[in-house]
Amino acid sequence: MISKVHEIVPEVAEGVRGGNGTVYAHKLLDLFPGSAIKSVGLVRLEPGATIGMHSHDGDEDFYYCLSGCGIVVDNGVEHPFTPGTLQITRDGETQAIRNTGETELIFLGALVATLEE
């Protein structure tokens, strides 16, 4: 399977997870049957935009910063989110993110089903 981000029309959303501003999601993979990978996408937050605090239940999420700058909130603790930063939210944990820069904050995000033991 091959997906090319420049061929994907982004989904545009306002107030994601109780946040504010505009978020663009280029979904490279969405709900692939039979796979632990639920979704993979390139996400763009406009300056000042946020994805509100939310938890994960039955899955895990990661954000990997590609460009821009912001703050990621990992289980209530704020951390700088700059290119090369990886943030992982495990099953039952919380996360949020906000763009604190003057340009778009662009990151790769993936949602993966929690493995049963």
Side-chain angles (χ1 to χ4, degrees), residues 10 21 29 48 56 66 71 82 86 93 101 113:
L29 175 70
H56 286 270
L66 298 170
I71 299 291
T82 55
L86 173 67
E93 296 182 345

Side-chain angles (χ1 to χ4, degrees), residues 90-108:
R90 304 280 185 208
D91 186 20
E93 296 182 345
T94 62
Q95 71 184 149
I97 189 167
R98 69 181 178 268
N99 183 347
T100 58
E102 295 181 13
T103 61
E104 284 187 323
L105 176 60
I106 302 173
F107 62 95
L108 182 66

Side-chain angles (χ1 to χ4, degrees), residues 9 12 20 26 33 39 41 50 64 72 80 83-85 92-94 100 115 117:
V9 175
V12 181
N20 59 50
H26 300 258
S39 67
T50 66
Y64 180 77
V72 68
T85 302
E93 296 182 345
T94 62
T100 58
L115 297 176
E117 296 187 28

Side-chain angles (χ1 to χ4, degrees), residues 20-96:
N20 59 50
T22 305
V23 177
Y24 302 89
H26 300 258
K27 291 188 175 181
L28 295 162
L29 175 70
D30 195 26
L31 300 175
F32 192 73
S35 176
I37 302 170
K38 292 183 171 184
S39 67
V40 176
L42 183 81
V43 182
R44 301 171 17 234
L45 274 68
E46 290 186 336
T50 66
I51 296 175
M53 185 68 68
H54 60 281
S55 64
H56 286 270
D57 182 28
D59 53 39
E60 300 179 341
D61 197 6
F62 81 72
Y63 295 160
Y64 180 77
C65 186
L66 298 170
S67 66
C69 64
I71 299 291
V72 68
V73 183
D74 181 64
N75 292 305
V77 179
E78 293 188 355
H79 300 274
F81 194 63
T82 55
T85 302
L86 173 67
Q87 186 271 333
I88 299 174
T89 303
R90 304 280 185 208
D91 186 20
E93 296 182 345
T94 62
Q95 71 184 149

Side-chain angles (χ1 to χ4, degrees), residues 9-21:
V9 175
E11 292 181 12
V12 181
E14 300 286 333
V16 176
R17 306 260 188 182
N20 59 50

